[in-house]
């Protein structure tokens, strides 16, 4: 399921996103003032999405959580489209915005990436909000500002720096999506990972007995990786819910290191973007 941000009325959406603290409760429609405000509605929407997923999000569901009708919410938030924008931007405020660079920019980027990874696993519905059309709210810009502050002084030219930051954001998001989907697979399908893999691995050996001959490089890699894992070559991370989520976490860690190595090499070489 993909949800595109910015589908509501542009002026009203942007006004709600960028409202000041003094105008946080300003209504968007006429009528008597109910005991609600925009923040309460957004918080309720986040709670629904966290607990039931994006597919369950509706103005009716949010209203039910607040013990109000959907019509009562429209006084403050024009539609579900604006609500999604507000939820997405609000929940980003959980993320830290200050990372010290005393230990170097690599350590700061790694800490940021770890925080964003954990954030996506707490709120997997955020991964369903497409980045094709960003929300353009203060929460999004605060995260961009955070990474620009970390990397702004490393010595990359502006165009390359902008592209490197885009890669970092999409890398963390993409790997977190894999981990989140591994976490969701068993409860949503009713089939545990171990059972799913055991059944299909046995069938693969049955229907493709020549697998190693057809895909020799892959078979060799898997054999070597299995031996390395058996000797403890891979660290055993904590805080994961399944073997496949653990594998996604390890891929995230390795991939991030490779990306940072590349940034470091670009800085050392003084290469220019083309």
């Amino acid at each position: 399921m993909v949800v595109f941000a910015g589908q509501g009325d542009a002026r009203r959406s942007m006004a709600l996103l960028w409202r000041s603290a003094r105008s946080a409760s300003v209504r968007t429609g006429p009528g008597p003032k109910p005991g609600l405000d925009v923040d309460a509605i957004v918080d309720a929407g986040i709670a629904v999405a966290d607990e039931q997923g994006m597919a369950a999000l509706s103005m009716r569901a949010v209203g039910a959580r607040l013990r109000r009708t959907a019509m009562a919410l429209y006084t403050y938030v024009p539609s579900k489209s604006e609500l999604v924008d507000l939820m997405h931007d609000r929940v980003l405020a959980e993320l830290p915005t200050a990372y010290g660079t005393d230990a170097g920019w690599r350590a700061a980027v790694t800490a940021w990436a770890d925080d964003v990874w954990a954030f996506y696993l707490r709120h997997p519905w955020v991964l369903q909000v497409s980045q094709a059309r960003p929300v353009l709210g203060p929460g999004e810009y605060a995260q961009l500002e955070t990474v620009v502050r970390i990397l702004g002084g490393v010595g990359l030219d502006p165009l390359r720096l902008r592209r490197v930051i885009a890669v970092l954001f999409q890398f963390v998001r993409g790997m977190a999506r894999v981990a989140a989907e591994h976490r969701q697979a068993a409860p949503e399908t009713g089939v545990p990972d171990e059972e799913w893999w055991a059944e299909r691995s046995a069938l693969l050996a049955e229907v493709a007995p020549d697998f190693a001959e057809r895909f020799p490089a892959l078979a060799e890699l898997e054999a070597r990786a299995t031996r390395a894992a058996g000797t403890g070559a891979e660290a055993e991370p904590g805080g994961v819910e399944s073997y496949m989520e653990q594998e996604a976490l390890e891929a995230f860690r390795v991939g991030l290191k490779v990306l940072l190595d590349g940034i470091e090499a670009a800085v050392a070489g003084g290469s220019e973007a083309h």
Side-chain angles (χ1 to χ4, degrees):
M1 178 182 180
V2 176
V3 177
F4 288 97
Q7 296 304 294
D9 178 86
R11 181 169 296 278
R12 297 175 82 178
S13 290
M14 297 298 283
L16 284 167
L17 283 165
W18 288 92
R19 69 195 189 281
S20 67
R22 292 182 64 185
S23 63
S25 297
V26 172
R27 292 172 291 155
T28 63
K33 181 180 178 181
L36 288 175
D37 59 34
V38 174
D39 291 334
I41 295 168
V42 173
D43 288 344
I46 292 170
V48 169
D50 281 347
E51 294 172 12
Q52 303 175 49
M54 183 64 87
L57 181 69
S58 68
M59 297 298 277
R60 178 176 294 179
V62 175
R65 190 174 188 91
L66 294 168
R67 298 182 179 180
R68 298 297 180 115
T69 66
M71 291 302 297
L73 308 188
Y74 294 131
T75 301
Y76 281 89
V77 180
S79 73
K80 178 181 171 181
S81 293
E82 288 86 358
L83 178 60
V84 168
D85 290 358
L86 292 166
M87 288 167 53
H88 183 274
D89 205 67
R90 165 73 68 78
V91 80
L92 285 172
E94 287 184 13
L95 287 164
T97 56
Y99 293 89
T101 55
D102 290 347
W105 63 265
R106 286 187 67 126
V109 172
T110 299
W112 167 82
D114 286 344
D115 286 340
V116 176
W117 168 278
F119 164 82
Y120 281 135
L121 292 186
R122 288 196 306 274
H123 306 290
W125 58 269
V126 175
L127 294 165
Q128 295 176 289
V129 181
S130 173
Q131 298 296 285
R133 293 180 177 178
V135 170
L136 302 180
E140 278 191 340
Y141 281 113
Q143 280 304 298
L144 283 169
E145 175 78 6
T146 297
V147 181
V148 171
R149 283 202 302 264
I150 295 171
L151 291 175
V154 301
L156 292 175
D157 68 83
L159 183 57
R160 172 158 288 205
L161 177 60
R162 189 171 70 182
R163 290 169 177 168
V164 162
I165 289 172
V167 170
L168 281 170
F169 269 92
Q170 293 308 317
F171 169 75
V172 177
R173 179 183 174 90
M175 292 306 304
R177 179 188 292 276
V178 174
E181 289 175 356
H182 282 313
R183 184 173 287 188
Q184 294 165 347
E188 291 196 14
T189 65
V191 181
D193 282 348
E194 295 78 6
E195 181 181 334
W196 190 94
W197 280 102
E199 179 182 24
R200 279 159 178 76
S201 295
L203 288 171
L204 183 62
E206 177 184 322
V207 299
D210 59 343
F211 184 91
E213 289 73 33
R214 294 176 66 182
F215 309 103
L218 176 59
E220 174 63 17
L221 173 61
E222 289 300 315
R224 292 171 60 191
T226 299
R227 290 195 296 271
T231 60
E234 292 289 330
E236 189 72 20
V240 295
E241 296 190 0
S242 70
Y243 169 77
M244 293 308 299
E245 185 184 335
Q246 175 180 313
E247 287 296 298
L249 175 58
E250 288 298 331
F252 164 70
R253 289 173 172 171
V254 170
L256 181 62
K257 182 179 183 302
V258 170
L259 277 175
L260 299 185
D261 287 346
I263 296 172
E264 199 163 57
V267 171
S271 55
E272 296 183 357
H274 295 285

